[in-house]
Amino acid sequence: MKTLPEKYVARMKELLGDEYESYEKTLSQPPVRAFRVNTDKISLEDFEKLNVFSKSRIPYVENGFYLEYEDKIGNHPYHHAGMIYVQEPAAMAPAESLEIDPDWVVLDMCAAPGGKSSQLKNKLGEKGFLVSNEIISSRCKLLTGNVERLGLHNTVTTCMDSERIAKTFPKTFDMIMVDAPCSGEGMFRKEEIAIDEWSEENVLMCAARQKEILHNASLALKDGGYIVYATCTFSLEENEMTIDSFLSSHPQFEILPLSERVQEYTARGIAFEGCNCENISYAGRFYPHKAKGEGQFMAVLHHRGENDDEKRTTIAPAKPDKIVSDFLDDTLMSYDKSKVSVYNGNPVYLTPRLEIKKGAAFSCGVNIGEIRKNYIQPHHQFFMAMGKLFKRKIELSADSEELKKYLHGEEIQTDCGNGWAVVTVDGCAVGGAKVVSGTAKNHYPKGLRTK
């Protein structure tokens, strides 16, 4: 562990008092690893029959486990199949701070790499809709890749700054996650580069940016909606002071207590000198010396207005060519025709809850594939998201030689019939193949293949 900056140590001693020594001791311990079961892909009950990673549950996350696995988990077939998402346990707490209605339209405003987005999506039902936004294009590609691997439905990824998001989706969302860019003090044990980048000037710069992002989030929120504000830092300026400033300038909002399951593992928000918010203690601080994980701050903000969901307009999406319906009829056992539409010239599959204007999304719903001269070239996401509905399935087990060959990019043999088929591992889609005369020609993306 690198030496901590003197000014940071002084600030933390003032913040923690007698607890500072306990906090400092945890920094010399290994970071806590964890994962969540992707319940959009497999039920928790079914996964527990297969679970080879850990039986140690995260008490405040129903589908969360502390990770006890020696090998590189990213190489495991269950990771390839999107059955799990590796995520630091404290980072799971913000999405557990509020009860999520399965029919909500939700925005994750600062989403990459996709941990909180996938957690939120697991809480939404078939009608629930998620917009997952990331301002940096390279990170948005990473985010979109995780959405595809996890096989998430009704998820749109966008690449915008917070001001453009507010203008594109005014008063749209029932709930917004603002996992704001921060100075990263809570990640010093896990990412030592954060120590090198720390300064009081950076703390103040982050706080100014957070206030702007939070204000723009309020413009994209429906009346009666909720914002969950989160950071992975400890500074008052980026946490309680930002919340207090927001509530002072946005009197239509109030702060609510965190869910009881999260309160049990967090310290209360700090009432600093000059704080105007009487209930700032409703916020929560996740410390590594108090619970397993890194640092995290979270606060639930509620718009006092009435929910106007009745006024939401019905979207009439563009209908694709007959070639698309013919492809789906041949490939799938069943599907909802009302969810098949066109975005940027390509066929997609999603529930029409929002109007996504051309060019606004990095990816939109489930990408069915690319229309070529007289056929559809299916996208990897189509196999990952729609695998359970496929007529032709090549069903493999995690320890089979055929699966190893497939993930390596090789052809495998099958008797499932000619046409597009999904390849599954222990019941979950891991990719696709084109079957011709008993040979499955590999369509697993080259960039994902094992070496």
Side-chain angles (χ1 to χ4, degrees):
M1 181 76 182
K2 293 183 177 180
T3 302
L4 298 176
E6 289 184 11
K7 288 185 177 180
Y8 172 75
V9 171
R11 288 162 65 94
M12 288 301 289
K13 284 181 176 178
E14 185 176 352
L15 205 63
L16 293 174
D18 294 339
E19 292 184 28
Y20 179 79
E21 283 190 18
S22 297
Y23 160 72
E24 189 178 44
K25 285 180 182 179
T26 64
L27 299 184
S28 61
Q29 300 167 1
V32 179
R33 301 165 69 216
F35 70 95
R36 281 181 300 100
V37 178
N38 174 21
T39 52
D40 278 37
K41 205 73 178 285
I42 185 171
S43 71
L44 186 57
E45 181 182 9
D46 286 343
F47 181 82
E48 288 192 273
K49 299 172 186 175
L50 305 170
N51 188 359
V52 296
F53 306 118
S54 169
K55 301 296 182 183
S56 180
R57 304 290 290 268
I58 298 175
Y60 50 89
V61 185
E62 183 181 12
N63 57 333
F65 294 80
Y66 298 110
L67 183 56
E68 300 164 0
Y69 187 70
E70 296 300 324
D71 295 335
K72 188 176 180 181
I73 195 170
N75 289 335
H76 198 281
Y78 294 164
H79 188 273
H80 280 273
M83 295 160 68
I84 58 172
Y85 187 95
V86 177
Q87 186 179 17
E88 192 275 309
M92 300 182 196
E96 301 296 332
S97 298
L98 174 71
E99 297 301 323
I100 307 293
D101 188 301
D103 285 344
W104 276 355
V105 176
V106 173
L107 167 66
D108 188 357
M109 204 164 201
C110 315
K116 291 181 177 65
S117 280
S118 58
Q119 191 176 1
L120 291 168
K121 182 62 187 65
N122 285 170
K123 294 175 179 294
L124 296 173
E126 291 184 6
K127 293 182 181 179
F129 199 100
L130 175 70
V131 175
S132 193
N133 179 71
E134 170 58 44
I135 186 174
I136 301 171
S137 60
S138 60
R139 286 172 57 79
C140 192
K141 289 179 182 177
L142 174 63
L143 167 66
T144 301
N146 276 322
V147 167
E148 292 174 359
R149 179 177 66 84
L150 297 169
L152 304 181
H153 287 240
N154 289 349
T155 302
V156 171
T157 63
T158 56
C159 186
M160 306 182 189
D161 61 32
S162 63
E163 184 178 6
R164 186 181 169 201
I165 277 281
K167 290 178 179 177
T168 304
F169 301 108
K171 285 198 169 188
T172 297
F173 299 100
D174 299 286
M175 179 261 180
I176 298 176
M177 174 68 71
V178 178
D179 183 19
C182 67
S183 60
E185 295 171 351
M187 303 301 286
F188 281 180
R189 176 171 64 171
K190 187 180 177 188
E191 299 174 6
E192 290 191 351
I193 190 173
I195 298 174
D196 296 331
E197 295 175 347
W198 187 89
S199 68
E200 288 187 321
E201 291 76 18
N202 189 42
V203 167
L204 298 177
M205 182 187 72
C206 288
R209 182 170 54 191
Q210 290 152 0
K211 290 183 176 72
E212 179 184 356
I213 293 172
L214 198 48
H215 169 69
N216 287 327
S218 73
L219 301 178
L221 189 73
K222 287 171 49 181
D223 291 353
Y226 300 84
I227 295 174
V228 175
Y229 176 82
T231 71
C232 57
T233 202
F234 300 126
S235 74
L236 285 168
E237 292 92 336
E238 298 175 78
N239 295 328
E240 287 88 350
M241 287 182 177
T242 291
I243 295 299
D244 185 57
S245 174
F246 175 80
L247 292 173
S248 295
S249 58
H250 298 77
Q252 70 273 35
F253 281 85
E254 61 183 337
I255 186 171
L256 299 181
L258 308 179
S259 66
E260 289 185 7
R261 62 182 177 274
V262 172
Q263 285 187 42
E264 188 175 347
Y265 296 91
T266 52
R268 302 282 64 81
I270 298 170
F272 58 92
E273 185 177 351
C275 180
N276 294 311
C277 176
E278 295 179 357
N279 297 320
I280 199 68
S281 63
Y282 286 170
R285 287 174 159 263
F286 199 109
Y287 290 115
H289 65 287
K290 287 184 173 292
K292 291 182 179 180
E294 308 309 307
Q296 194 82 198
F297 172 88
M298 65 216 81
V300 176
L301 306 173
H302 175 235
H303 189 287
R304 301 173 196 267
E306 287 190 27
N307 191 307
D308 57 356
D309 195 52
E310 300 284 328
K311 298 178 182 177
R312 195 189 298 279
T313 57
T314 302
I315 306 301
K319 293 300 176 185
D321 297 337
K322 184 175 181 296
I323 190 173
V324 178
S325 57
D326 288 347
F327 166 77
L328 294 174
D329 291 341
D330 175 67
T331 306
L332 304 180
M333 293 182 289
S334 64
Y335 63 96
D336 188 341
K337 293 183 179 180
S338 70
K339 295 183 179 181
V340 183
S341 60
V342 177
Y343 185 74
N344 282 0
N346 291 320
V348 297
Y349 191 83
L350 79 164
T351 301
R353 293 290 299 274
L354 287 185
E355 181 182 5
I356 309 297
K357 295 180 180 178
K358 186 175 181 179
F362 196 92
S363 70
C364 186
V366 176
N367 186 343
I368 294 172
E370 181 184 345
I371 300 177
R372 300 207 172 161
K373 288 183 179 179
N374 57 355
Y375 67 97
I376 300 289
Q377 180 70 22
H379 193 279
H380 179 60
Q381 187 181 16
F382 177 66
F383 297 106
M384 298 300 281
M386 310 295 285
K388 290 181 180 179
L389 299 176
F390 265 65
K391 291 179 179 178
R392 292 173 285 272
K393 296 180 180 178
I394 304 172
E395 298 176 306
L396 306 173
S397 62
D399 58 356
S400 71
E401 288 301 317
E402 289 289 273
L403 180 64
K404 290 179 182 177
K405 289 171 64 177
Y406 175 77
L407 293 177
H408 192 255
E410 300 174 38
E411 293 181 347
I412 56 177
Q413 301 304 305
T414 180
D415 58 1
C416 71
N418 291 340
W420 288 106
V422 66
V423 179
T424 69
V425 52
D426 292 332
C428 285
V430 72
K434 182 68 177 288
V435 181
V436 180
S437 301
T439 298
K441 297 183 178 181
N442 200 303
H443 280 264
Y444 197 58
K446 291 182 179 179
L448 301 179
R449 294 175 183 176
T450 57
K451 296 180 181 179

